[in-house]
Amino acid sequence: MERRNEVLEVIRNKPGITFRQLARELEIGIGDLQYHLRRLEKEGIVFSRRIGKRRYLFPKGFEENAQRLLIAISTDTRRRILLLLMRGPLSQGEIATSLGLSQPTVSYHMGELKKLGIVKTEERGKSVIYHLNYDPETIARIIKEYRPSIWENLADRLIDLLTGIGDEK
Amino acid sequence: MMSMEITLALIAVVLSLILAKVSFVAYKKSHLRPALYLLMAFLLLAVKKGVELLQLTERVERDVGLAIGGLEAVFLILLVLALWRR
């Protein structure tokens, strides 16, 4: 029971932790951890979401946030944008230049991130500055463990190709 | 010569299905309409090559020229729509 409380405590403190990270952190056997997680999930205290090749664990009450976060990091370009914004606020043009992307592609992804509430905007003169609007530690933890499948990688390239159509560069 | 044609048609079917799956994953992730058009286009291409394959292997004896021409036209229309605008 004490071990289960430790598992729950870590998930509460680090929402979005993966099974592997959790096992490493608690130095607990895979079988033991699977048993405790099954019990916690059955009791509805924690829940998990699979994306890419990893299963992420979240505490109860985090459902909406988990959904937003996992959609936000589901494409390669958005992960790169979020990592870039962790260093500080940037304009759309600066993001496009730093990542070597076209303006329409960045515009599409920023629109999606804004809709999800992961970034917020601030108007500074003529340009719009994007700020991260979510706990950077949680975002970094989820991105670090994210392992996309080959289909997802190919789909990400197709999305960038389609969103880049119409670029005047 | 015939077996070479069948092999090439089979390769085209497999590649069309792979591209259809990539488009499907892209659509699921982004809900971009062009990805949906591409998904439909690649599925139609796979169907078209499948029909051609059936004719090559003499499983279909009817003239399928009109059906193939129609599928080609719809495939190209979907490609144009995908490139049109987001």
Side-chain angles (χ1 to χ4, degrees), chain A residues 74-75 78 104-105 107-108 112 146 151-152 154-156 158-159 162-165, chain B residues 17-19 21-23 25-27 29-32 34-35 38 82-84 86:
Chain A
S74 68
T75 78
R78 289 210 282 260
T105 301
S107 161
Y108 164 75
E112 294 293 304
Y146 188 75
W151 296 109
E152 286 184 88
L154 292 170
D156 290 350
L158 180 61
I159 291 169
L162 292 173
T163 52
I165 292 172
Chain B
L17 291 175
I18 289 172
L19 289 168
K21 173 147 187 188
V22 172
S23 310
V25 177
Y27 179 67
K29 279 181 162 202
S30 65
H31 290 105
L32 284 171
L38 285 181
L83 295 171
W84 196 260
R86 214 169 59 216

Side-chain angles (χ1 to χ4, degrees), chain A residues 84-91 94 122 124 129-132:
Chain A
L84 193 64
L85 286 177
M86 276 178 200
R87 291 188 217 155
L90 291 169
S91 70
E94 287 168 331
E122 177 206 339
R124 226 180 264 172
I129 305 294
Y130 290 93
H131 296 257
L132 214 52

